[in-house]
């Protein structure tokens, strides 16, 4: 029989749901999240936590000092939740929907609530913990590298020593029915980098292209050439993705523009493939442009490395989820996801793992629901208890290893 969530967590489930609904109504974007920070701090009031606020971002670092003796080296574990929302106008129709022009369309309200639940559950049994827990509430996950800023401000050493392990999770709108944890050893999510290309030619009249230097054909050929580059130069067992999501040129049908631009995203699943993109993409773009007599300006911006789970961390997630909820509530993923996550920056420095938690409402087909980042994305409240239970038990078992 599965162990089930901590009875204390079950007793506060309604409070967690109410907290998530409040957080959902006050979404804030980026690194500065004053309302969100204050609401999380209120939820942590009364707990035996040492709290530090971020200097360059609205982060919260809270340390819980376990009171049980340790028979070996005292261990410290970090649990993380991201806090920021997206600049998306919500269209879910929920009674507690956001109305401020932003939205927790990626479920970070669920993450914060789950981590608050874990903090309350672990505080409830602080006398039994033979080590310390660091709770990392992080703004700026959506492209702002908030994890990097928190690391620079000392979150990994907040308890007085480097954490021995770190765990986080991410809810998913779809993928499976709610409450089934997904994880895998090795790469679980892709790297993410930005590519910006500007093609500079010589504008002119659309009727006389021979008197101009048209940047549009160069731009169009680059889009195709990048896909050919991937197919002929990258290992098919270590794939990469380049998507040219925004292309722009010209102002009228009969004007050859002076410039054309591409904004693209690049994804990879290993450091080697990520570096190969940075090596090859500028050469392909500039060479194709030169063949058209056009100048190319290339800017590549590194965002996040691939999120790579450590084997022991992934194994602990699998065992803990299975013990708590049963074997039918855990899936070892066959392949990583193409989305990216800045918890990767934490896992580059300390062992641990990241898990995925589907949150499809019970009356919805996971294959048909709107995905993460959609203005229609829905996340079922039932996963709040699941997230809190998994995180608190991961911490408990990590600290128990000291004995």
């Amino acid at each position: 029989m599965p162990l089930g969530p901590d009875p204390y967590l079950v007793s506060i489930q309604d409070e967690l749901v109410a907290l998530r609904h409040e957080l959902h109504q006050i979404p804030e974007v980026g690194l500065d999240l004053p309302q969100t920070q204050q609401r999380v701090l209120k939820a942590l009031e009364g707990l035996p936590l040492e709290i530090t606020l971020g200097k360059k971002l609205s982060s919260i670092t809270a340390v819980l000092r376990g009171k049980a003796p340790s028979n070996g080296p005292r261990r410290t574990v970090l649990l993380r939740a991201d806090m920021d929302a997206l600049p998306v106008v919500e269209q879910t129709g929920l009674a507690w929907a956001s109305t401020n022009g932003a939205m927790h369309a990626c479920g970070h309200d669920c993450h914060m609530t789950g981590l608050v639940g874990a903090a309350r559950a672990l505080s409830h049994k602080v006398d039994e913990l033979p080590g310390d827990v660091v709770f990392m509430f992080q703004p700026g996950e959506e492209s702002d590298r908030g994890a990097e800023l928190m690391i620079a401000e000392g979150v990994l050493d907040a308890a007085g020593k480097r954490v021995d392990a770190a765990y986080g999770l991410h809810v998913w709108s779809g993928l499976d029915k709610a409450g089934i944890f997904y994880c895998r050893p090795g790469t679980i999510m892709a790297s993410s980098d930005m590519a910006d290309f500007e093609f500079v030619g010589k504008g002119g009249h659309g009727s006389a292209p021979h008197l101009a230097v048209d940047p549009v054909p160069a731009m169009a050929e680059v889009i195709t050439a990048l896909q050919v580059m991937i197919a002929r130069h990258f290992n098919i067992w270590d794939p990469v993705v380049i998507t040219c999501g925004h292309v722009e040129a010209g102002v009228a049908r009969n004007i050859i523009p002076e410039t054309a631009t591409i904004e693209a995203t690049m994804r990879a699943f290993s450091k080697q493939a990520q570096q190969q993109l940075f090596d090859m993409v500028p050469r392909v773009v500039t060479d194709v442009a030169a063949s058209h007599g056009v100048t190319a300006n290339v800017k590549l911006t590194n965002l996040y490395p691939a999120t790579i789970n450590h084997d022991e961390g992934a194994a602990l997630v699998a065992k803990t989820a299975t013990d708590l909820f049963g074997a039918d509530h855990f899936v070892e993923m066959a392949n990583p996801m193409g989305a990216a996550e800045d918890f990767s920056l934490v896992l580059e420095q300390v062992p641990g793992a990241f898990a995925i938690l589907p949150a499809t409402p019970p009356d919805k087909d996971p294959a048909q629901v709107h995905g993460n980042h959609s203005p229609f994305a829905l996340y079922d409240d039932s996963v709040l208890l699941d997230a809190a239970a998994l995180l608190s038990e991961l911490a408990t078992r990590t600290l128990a290893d000291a004995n």
Side-chain angles (χ1 to χ4, degrees):
M1 287 287 294
L3 298 173
D6 184 327
Y8 172 77
L9 273 174
V10 176
S11 74
I12 64 168
Q13 185 174 11
D14 289 346
E15 295 175 46
L16 295 178
V17 170
L19 172 62
R20 186 251 164 149
H21 291 187
E22 285 187 55
L23 290 169
H24 192 85
Q25 293 179 80
I26 55 168
E28 296 171 292
V29 177
L31 297 170
D32 186 24
L33 319 175
Q35 290 187 74
T36 305
Q37 183 188 56
Q38 287 304 310
R39 185 61 190 90
V40 172
L41 286 171
K42 182 180 178 183
L44 298 175
E45 282 180 358
L47 302 182
L49 302 172
E50 300 169 10
I51 292 179
T52 304
L53 304 184
K55 297 179 177 63
K56 294 184 177 180
L57 69 173
S58 300
S59 61
I60 302 170
T61 299
V63 178
L64 177 67
R65 304 284 183 184
K67 296 183 179 181
S70 174
N71 295 329
R74 188 173 179 84
R75 292 173 65 82
T76 304
V77 61
L78 180 146
L79 305 175
R80 177 270 204 166
D82 38 13
M83 304 167 70
D84 56 320
L86 289 158
V88 171
V89 177
E90 182 163 355
Q91 299 181 51
T92 60
L94 295 170
W96 34 276
S98 164
T99 59
N100 68 0
M103 178 186 174
H104 276 297
C106 208
H108 296 186
D109 52 333
C110 299
H111 303 166
M112 288 183 281
T113 304
L115 190 55
V116 167
R120 291 186 62 177
L122 291 165
S123 295
H124 188 69
K125 59 179 184 180
V126 66
D127 291 341
E128 305 169 23
L129 300 178
D132 304 327
V133 185
V134 177
F135 301 96
M136 176 182 179
F137 291 91
Q138 177 215 309
E141 187 276 329
E142 301 285 355
S143 301
D144 288 304
R145 292 177 71 94
E148 182 176 58
L149 291 173
M150 288 195 72
I151 291 169
E153 292 189 359
V155 69
L156 300 182
D157 304 291
K161 63 181 286 290
R162 179 57 53 107
V163 299
D164 295 286
Y167 294 94
L169 58 78
H170 205 300
V171 294
W172 215 257
S173 176
L175 184 63
D176 206 334
K177 59 185 179 181
I180 299 179
F181 290 92
Y182 279 62
C183 195
R184 71 191 308 271
T187 302
I188 187 169
M189 299 182 84
S191 63
S192 177
D193 300 302
M194 297 189 299
D196 295 275
F197 314 131
E198 181 189 42
F199 304 90
V200 182
K202 178 184 176 184
H205 200 289
S207 66
H210 62 292
L211 299 178
V213 180
D214 193 346
V216 174
M219 176 183 71
E221 187 173 332
V222 161
I223 294 171
T224 302
L226 290 172
Q227 307 310 313
V228 174
M229 175 198 76
I230 291 170
R232 310 324 287 174
H233 292 280
F234 283 79
N235 186 339
I236 60 172
W237 306 116
D238 188 10
V240 299
V241 172
I242 299 179
T243 297
C244 298
H246 181 207
V247 295
E248 186 171 347
V251 294
R253 71 182 72 237
N254 63 343
I255 299 174
I256 294 173
E258 195 82 10
T259 62
T261 59
I262 297 175
E263 295 176 0
T265 184
M266 306 191 302
R267 309 283 167 140
F269 297 94
S270 71
K271 289 181 181 296
Q272 294 80 7
Q274 185 182 23
Q275 185 58 52
Q276 190 177 353
L277 282 171
F278 272 73
D279 293 339
M280 293 196 68
V281 166
R283 186 166 69 248
V284 169
V285 174
T286 55
D287 287 356
V288 169
S291 73
H292 288 265
V294 169
T295 299
N297 298 314
V298 178
K299 179 183 178 184
L300 303 184
T301 304
N302 179 258
L303 289 178
Y304 305 147
T307 304
I308 302 175
N309 285 339
H310 297 248
D311 290 352
E312 289 186 5
L316 183 61
V317 169
K319 179 166 176 49
T320 303
T322 300
D323 288 349
L324 286 178
F325 304 107
D328 58 340
H329 281 255
F330 177 78
V331 174
E332 181 165 314
M333 300 164 65
N335 301 298
M337 306 181 81
E341 165 61 58
D342 76 347
F343 192 67
S344 56
L345 298 168
V346 174
L347 293 180
E348 280 193 324
Q349 299 202 33
V350 297
F354 195 69
I356 305 298
L357 176 58
T360 310
D363 60 338
K364 306 291 184 182
D365 179 354
Q368 301 299 322
V369 298
H370 296 274
N372 289 33
H373 289 211
S374 165
F376 298 97
L378 294 170
Y379 305 91
D380 193 64
D381 287 332
S382 64
V383 301
L384 304 176
L385 180 62
D386 298 332
L390 183 80
L391 290 172
S392 60
E393 187 64 15
L394 286 170
T396 300
R397 295 186 179 198
T398 299
L399 298 183
D401 283 350
N403 293 321

